Amino acid sequence: MYRELLALSWPSWRAYRVWQRNLDSYRRYYWASLVGNLGEPFLYLLAMGYGLGSYIGEIEGMSYLQYLAPGLLVSSAMFAATFEGTYGTYLRMAHLKTYEAILATPLTLQDVVLGDLLWATTKGLISGLIMLLVLLPFGLLPSPWALLLPLVLIVVGLLFSALAMVVAALSPNWEFFNYYLTLFISPMFFFSGVFFPLTNFPSWVKGVSAFLPLTYAVALSRALTMGEVSVSLLAPLLWMLLPTLLFGCISLSLIRRRIIK
Amino acid sequence: MGKGIIQARDLVKRFGELTAVDGISFVVREGECLGFLGPNGAGKTTTIRMIYAISPLTAGELYVADYDIRHHPRKIKGMIGVVPQENNLDPDLTVLENLLVYARYFEIHKQEAVRRAFELLDFLELREKKDRLIEELSAGMKRRLIIARALIQRPRILILDEPTTGLDPQARHLIWQRLRSLKREGVTQILTTHYMEEATQLCDRVAIMDQGMILRLGSPQELVAAEVGEEVIELQVGEDEEARIKGFLEGSPFIWEQAGDTLYLYCSNGREVLASLARYPHLRLVHRPATLEDLFLKLTGRRLRE
Ligand SMILES: Nc1ncnc2c1ncn2[C@@H]1O[C@H](COP(=O)(O)OP(=O)(O)OP(=O)(O)O)[C@@H](O)[C@H]1O
Ligand SMILES: [Mg+2]
């Protein structure tokens, strides 16, 4: 019995087929999608970086635009992965019956969930990479360590995809996502050190911030962007990878409970 | 008789309190078409969903081609083509892409997949629609496409859950022809339907289900002959005559039942019965051979199911 569980609980490389399916359907509307998940962070960069930045002096020894860039970079990956992981997953799982159709083939639910997770991660990565291309000509990536930023984007994508899929699995309807987006994602966007350091905030805010996964993503991204690399960066990396594993497993078991009847 | 390509022993499926399938056993022989008939909610869909490993068994044993369903779901799903009761085509993809993407789930190479896809589009008369999106298809085309999709992997077993519900006679006949030609090629078929004519046309054997149990299993002709007899006489009686006729029937050796304004007499000596009914000249009656529908209604009753 235990062996059976183990054998069944590992996804296979067939998850790639699900990823491919999502890519095929994405090709039909990728322009709309790109504009959608890139627009917002890019606007923030222009409006706040240039607009507000010209009134603000330096933060932590760098221009405001430079301060803002690494955080907006990971935020764009976060938003793209979040939207795909919530709306996209829910659409395929509950409305299009894509999961049902695929489960009648040699693929298992593990494959399907992993495929969707990797797809949402890919959307995060695509969005982040475009943001990187935007930052490059502005000279906002001074250190060669920035070459590692795509890896950070992948880690961020995985984490927020896993979280989003937990929400999708629990969601009874589309409106449900508003709770997650307004009560969790948006506040996190403002209190993870993207726009301002939390040094002057009361300690409970800092305490809350230390629980927000985006905080670690921003710290990691900023360190690589500025070339301030040390072993201590492994801690934020770990703080993103561990919850990814945890929420990945939770999303799988919740989706199983929802789908397998 | 061989062991059968599918063997089910004491299958049980519960959804919480509700027992949808209540300990059924059956064997599907290689190359045959077995039909599951039964009123709404009888447990047909639930039964076949267990066969294609999408719904875990609550209890019992199920072997497909000697593989235990609990241990080898991937292998089993690899040899079954499925036409589900509800369409689940991929609306983000075109007709052709639906087939090609599905072929990838079975690890069929691109070139081979394209070849098979066009072959199947021809087989189900869909080639002209190959670049259409799913939402532009009629109900009949969608159903044909789902059948094509189920065939892309050349399955040994084809499972069809109400393949022709809601289709016009032309589409239905086309699908019947295709299913018969697949049967000649040796594809084992499991079918559910509410159309008794469809079952008579396609099935070698039928299992009549109600409330999660199999009431009868056998060839349609044999079951009808054994349970209903050869002929049926339908009498439509007015209220004034009803009592008299029923009085007459109660005193007679005939097997009969009433549903609304119609009395059904089951017999194998119709002419004699008609002769003895000659004393009621105003009766409106129909004399016809017994069908699977008579058997079905006799076994499962004439009342509506929820
Ligand atoms: N996922 C589910 N959760 C709870 N109950 C279910 C579920 N699926 C089916 N049932 C119940 O199981 C019983 C059998 O349903 P099933 O779909 O197998 O019937 P069916 O014979 O296919 O009917 P129909 O002819 O209407 O398709 C019904 O009472 C149904 O309500
Ligand atoms: Mg059904």
Side-chain angles (χ1 to χ4, degrees), chain A residues 199-234:
Chain A
T199 32
N200 297 331
F201 276 82
S203 60
W204 69 267
V205 176
K206 283 185 230 168
V208 170
S209 174
F211 273 98
L212 301 177
L214 188 62
T215 302
Y216 298 99
V218 174
L220 208 55
S221 175
R222 192 166 285 140
L224 288 176
T225 306
M226 305 312 291
E228 291 154 5
V229 176
S230 70
V231 187
S232 65
L233 289 184
L234 290 178

Coordinates of all heavy atoms in Angstrom, one line a residue, chain A residues 199-234:
Chain A
T199 N 12.9 49.7 7.2 CA 13.7 50.0 8.4 C 13.0 50.9 9.4 O 13.1 50.8 10.6 CB 15.1 50.7 8.0 OG1 14.9 51.5 6.8 CG2 16.1 49.6 7.8
N200 N 12.2 51.9 8.9 CA 11.6 52.9 9.8 C 10.2 52.4 10.3 O 9.5 53.2 11.0 CB 11.5 54.2 9.2 CG 12.9 54.8 8.9 OD1 13.8 54.5 9.6 ND2 13.0 55.6 7.8
F201 N 9.7 51.3 9.8 CA 8.4 50.8 10.2 C 8.4 50.2 11.6 O 9.5 49.7 12.0 CB 7.9 49.9 9.2 CG 7.2 50.5 8.0 CD1 8.0 51.0 7.0 CD2 5.8 50.7 7.9 CE1 7.4 51.6 5.9 CE2 5.3 51.3 6.9 CZ 6.1 51.8 5.8
P202 N 7.3 50.2 12.3 CA 7.2 49.5 13.6 C 7.6 48.0 13.4 O 7.5 47.4 12.3 CB 5.8 49.6 14.0 CG 5.0 50.2 12.9 CD 6.0 50.8 11.9
S203 N 8.0 47.4 14.5 CA 8.6 46.1 14.4 C 7.6 45.1 14.0 O 7.9 44.1 13.3 CB 9.2 45.7 15.7 OG 8.2 45.7 16.7
W204 N 6.3 45.3 14.3 CA 5.3 44.2 13.8 C 5.2 44.2 12.3 O 5.0 43.2 11.7 CB 4.0 44.4 14.5 CG 3.2 45.6 14.1 CD1 3.2 46.8 14.7 CD2 2.3 45.7 13.0 NE1 2.4 47.7 14.1 CE2 1.8 47.1 13.0 CE3 1.8 44.9 12.0 CZ2 0.9 47.5 12.1 CZ3 0.9 45.3 11.1 CH2 0.5 46.6 11.1
V205 N 5.4 45.4 11.7 CA 5.3 45.4 10.2 C 6.5 44.6 9.7 O 6.4 43.8 8.7 CB 5.4 46.9 9.7 CG1 5.4 46.8 8.2 CG2 4.1 47.6 10.2
K206 N 7.6 44.8 10.3 CA 8.8 44.1 9.8 C 8.6 42.6 10.1 O 9.0 41.8 9.2 CB 10.1 44.6 10.6 CG 10.6 45.9 10.1 CD 11.9 46.2 10.8 CE 11.8 47.7 11.3 NZ 12.9 48.0 12.2
G207 N 8.0 42.3 11.2 CA 7.7 40.9 11.5 C 6.8 40.2 10.4 O 7.1 39.2 9.9
V208 N 5.8 41.0 10.0 CA 4.9 40.5 9.0 C 5.6 40.3 7.7 O 5.6 39.3 7.0 CB 3.7 41.4 8.8 CG1 2.9 41.0 7.6 CG2 2.8 41.4 10.0
S209 N 6.4 41.3 7.4 CA 7.2 41.4 6.1 C 8.1 40.1 6.0 O 8.3 39.6 5.0 CB 8.0 42.7 6.0 OG 8.8 42.6 4.9
A210 N 8.6 39.7 7.2 CA 9.5 38.6 7.2 C 8.8 37.3 6.8 O 9.4 36.3 6.5 CB 10.2 38.4 8.5
F211 N 7.5 37.3 6.8 CA 6.7 36.1 6.4 C 6.3 36.2 5.0 O 5.7 35.3 4.4 CB 5.5 36.0 7.3 CG 5.8 35.2 8.5 CD1 6.0 35.8 9.7 CD2 5.9 33.8 8.5 CE1 6.3 35.1 10.9 CE2 6.2 33.1 9.6 CZ 6.4 33.7 10.8
L212 N 6.5 37.3 4.3 CA 6.1 37.5 2.9 C 7.2 37.0 2.0 O 8.3 37.5 2.0 CB 5.8 39.0 2.6 CG 4.7 39.6 3.5 CD1 4.5 41.1 3.2 CD2 3.4 38.8 3.4
P213 N 6.8 36.0 1.2 CA 7.8 35.4 0.3 C 8.5 36.4 -0.7 O 9.6 36.3 -1.0 CB 7.1 34.3 -0.4 CG 5.6 34.6 -0.2 CD 5.5 35.4 1.1
L214 N 7.7 37.4 -1.0 CA 8.2 38.4 -2.0 C 9.4 39.2 -1.4 O 10.3 39.5 -2.1 CB 7.1 39.4 -2.5 CG 7.5 40.3 -3.6 CD1 7.9 39.5 -4.9 CD2 6.4 41.3 -3.9
T215 N 9.4 39.3 -0.1 CA 10.5 40.0 0.6 C 11.8 39.4 0.3 O 12.8 40.0 0.0 CB 10.3 39.9 2.1 OG1 9.0 40.5 2.5 CG2 11.4 40.6 2.9
Y216 N 11.9 38.0 0.3 CA 13.1 37.3 0.0 C 13.5 37.4 -1.4 O 14.6 37.5 -1.8 CB 13.0 35.9 0.5 CG 12.7 35.8 2.0 CD1 11.4 35.6 2.5 CD2 13.8 36.0 2.9 CE1 11.2 35.6 3.8 CE2 13.6 36.0 4.2 CZ 12.3 35.8 4.7 OH 12.1 35.8 6.0
A217 N 12.5 37.4 -2.3 CA 12.7 37.5 -3.7 C 13.3 38.8 -4.0 O 14.3 38.9 -4.8 CB 11.4 37.3 -4.5
V218 N 12.8 39.9 -3.4 CA 13.3 41.2 -3.7 C 14.8 41.4 -3.1 O 15.6 41.9 -3.8 CB 12.4 42.3 -3.0 CG1 13.0 43.7 -3.1 CG2 11.0 42.3 -3.6
A219 N 15.0 40.8 -2.0 CA 16.4 40.9 -1.4 C 17.4 40.2 -2.3 O 18.4 40.7 -2.6 CB 16.3 40.2 0.0
L220 N 17.0 39.0 -2.8 CA 17.8 38.2 -3.6 C 18.1 39.0 -4.9 O 19.2 39.1 -5.4 CB 17.2 36.9 -3.9 CG 18.0 35.7 -4.2 CD1 19.0 35.4 -3.1 CD2 17.1 34.5 -4.4
S221 N 17.0 39.5 -5.5 CA 17.1 40.2 -6.8 C 18.0 41.4 -6.7 O 18.9 41.7 -7.5 CB 15.7 40.6 -7.3 OG 15.8 41.3 -8.4
R222 N 17.8 42.2 -5.6 CA 18.6 43.4 -5.4 C 20.1 43.1 -5.2 O 20.9 43.7 -5.8 CB 18.0 44.2 -4.2 CG 18.6 45.6 -4.2 CD 17.7 46.5 -3.2 NE 16.5 46.9 -3.8 CZ 15.3 46.9 -3.1 NH1 15.3 46.5 -1.8 NH2 14.2 47.3 -3.7
A223 N 20.3 42.0 -4.4 CA 21.7 41.6 -4.2 C 22.4 41.3 -5.5 O 23.6 41.7 -5.7 CB 21.8 40.5 -3.2
L224 N 21.8 40.5 -6.3 CA 22.4 40.1 -7.6 C 22.5 41.3 -8.5 O 23.6 41.4 -9.2 CB 21.6 39.0 -8.3 CG 21.6 37.6 -7.6 CD1 20.7 36.6 -8.3 CD2 23.1 37.1 -7.6
T225 N 21.5 42.1 -8.5 CA 21.6 43.3 -9.4 C 22.8 44.2 -9.1 O 23.5 44.7 -9.9 CB 20.3 44.1 -9.3 OG1 19.2 43.3 -9.6 CG2 20.3 45.3 -10.3
M226 N 23.0 44.4 -7.7 CA 24.1 45.3 -7.3 C 25.4 44.5 -7.1 O 26.4 45.1 -6.7 CB 23.7 46.0 -6.0 CG 22.3 46.7 -6.1 SD 22.2 47.8 -7.5 CE 23.4 49.0 -7.1
G227 N 25.4 43.2 -7.3 CA 26.6 42.5 -7.1 C 27.0 42.3 -5.7 O 28.2 42.0 -5.4
E228 N 26.1 42.4 -4.7 CA 26.5 42.1 -3.3 C 26.2 40.7 -3.0 O 25.2 40.4 -2.2 CB 25.6 43.1 -2.4 CG 26.1 44.5 -2.6 CD 25.0 45.5 -2.3 OE1 23.9 45.1 -1.8 OE2 25.2 46.7 -2.5
V229 N 27.0 39.8 -3.4 CA 26.8 38.4 -3.3 C 27.6 37.8 -2.2 O 28.7 38.1 -2.0 CB 27.1 37.7 -4.6 CG1 26.9 36.2 -4.5 CG2 26.2 38.2 -5.8
S230 N 26.9 37.0 -1.4 CA 27.6 36.3 -0.3 C 26.8 35.0 0.0 O 25.7 34.8 -0.5 CB 27.7 37.1 1.0 OG 26.4 37.3 1.5
V231 N 27.4 34.2 0.9 CA 26.7 32.9 1.2 C 25.4 33.2 1.9 O 24.5 32.4 1.8 CB 27.7 32.1 2.2 CG1 27.1 30.7 2.4 CG2 29.1 32.0 1.6
S232 N 25.3 34.3 2.5 CA 24.1 34.6 3.3 C 22.8 34.7 2.4 O 21.7 34.6 2.8 CB 24.2 35.9 4.1 OG 24.3 37.0 3.1
L233 N 23.1 34.7 1.1 CA 21.9 34.7 0.1 C 21.2 33.4 0.1 O 20.1 33.3 -0.4 CB 22.4 35.2 -1.2 CG 22.8 36.6 -1.4 CD1 23.1 36.9 -2.9 CD2 21.6 37.5 -1.0
L234 N 21.9 32.4 0.6 CA 21.3 31.0 0.5 C 20.0 31.0 1.4 O 19.1 30.3 1.1 CB 22.3 30.0 1.0 CG 23.4 29.7 0.0 CD1 24.4 28.7 0.5 CD2 22.8 29.2 -1.4

